[in-house]
Amino acid sequence: MEGVLVTGTARASAEGECVRCLEPVELELDVDFQEMFSYPDSDDRGRSRAAADDEAEEDEDMIPLEDGMFDLEPVLRDAVVLALPMQPVCREDCAGLCSQCGTNLNENPDHHHDVADIRWAALQGLAGSLGTDEKDNMSGKASDGDVRSAAEKQEK
């Protein structure tokens, strides 16, 4: 009596990119929808009459029929868009891309970078310029030669 109730299922396919690794993603969607299209209010001559202010708020959610026809495009678009995932992924365990170089971690799972703290970068350059014996003496660790000479001095 109030209008036409439209109920159905929309089938759609969507294409996009994985938000983690940027690989192509194809989705098949089945979306159920239901919408009420209301008959326009009319006077005794068949002309549309203006709704009162309090009725206008109630009618915001109702979609009117226009010349006995209804437009499903906005209804279908809203149903399909709401069914799309916010962050589509190619698979649930997608590792994504390396944040430093962009390597796909799905193809190279052992990929890593040796990251040094910037605050210690100058000291790493200094450590690389020293020889191995100098490093041992600087760190307080004795080399094998130092241990022997200390033992010989002890015996004397």
Side-chain angles (χ1 to χ4, degrees), residues 67-149:
D67 298 327
M69 307 284 283
F70 49 86
D71 184 15
L72 284 178
E73 181 183 355
V75 174
L76 293 174
R77 182 181 53 238
D78 291 346
V80 170
V81 167
L82 289 173
L84 289 172
M86 292 291 282
Q87 297 183 340
V89 291
C90 57
R91 60 179 200 246
E92 290 299 320
D93 62 341
C94 178
L97 301 175
C98 175
S99 62
Q100 292 181 359
C101 66
T103 300
N104 190 339
L105 298 176
N106 295 318
E107 297 169 0
N108 188 0
D110 297 329
H111 176 77
H112 70 283
H113 295 275
D114 293 330
V115 179
D117 191 346
I118 291 175
R119 298 172 289 185
W120 298 99
L123 293 176
Q124 284 182 336
L126 178 65
S129 66
L130 298 175
T132 56
D133 290 336
E134 293 178 34
K135 279 194 231 178
D136 288 341
N137 290 337
M138 295 282 246
S139 65
K141 294 181 182 175
S143 64
D144 291 339
D146 292 339
V147 172
R148 286 187 203 122
S149 64

